[in-house]
Amino acid sequence: MESYQKYIQINPNIRFGKPCIAGTRIAVQDILGWLASGMNNEEILEDFPELTSDQIRAALAFAADSERRTRLLAA
């Protein structure tokens, strides 16, 4: 994915500032949870026709980028 930034929006007034798909109240966390529970892209798109495949990929890219920036500190 070339750039997830155009698909992901963080607004403190929407879902308490959780990263969401722009123009929706669907959080990146929601999409990750659906995928983790075994739903595939087609099932998600069927249940949420306002989403696109690019937006699902953007959620995954955002999560991967967030994970890449995570640092663990030794106790």
Side-chain angles (χ1 to χ4, degrees):
M1 161 142 291
E2 73 280 353
S3 175
Y4 63 78
Q5 286 86 353
K6 69 180 182 179
Y7 297 106
I8 307 297
Q9 173 182 24
I10 298 174
N11 180 334
N13 297 317
I14 299 174
R15 300 285 303 265
F16 304 101
K18 291 181 181 181
C20 290
I21 301 301
T24 76
R25 296 181 58 80
I26 299 172
V28 168
Q29 173 185 330
D30 298 331
I31 294 171
L32 297 176
W34 298 329
L35 292 168
S37 73
M39 289 179 79
N40 61 40
N41 284 13
E42 292 76 25
E43 291 169 323
I44 294 170
L45 295 172
E46 186 176 309
D47 286 351
F48 299 92
E50 65 271 28
L51 290 177
T52 66
S53 293
D54 284 343
Q55 291 169 321
I56 294 172
R57 281 193 299 279
L60 289 170
F62 178 87
D65 193 41
S66 294
E67 178 63 22
R68 182 186 58 75
R69 289 181 275 130
T70 299
R71 304 245 191 267
L72 296 177
L73 301 175

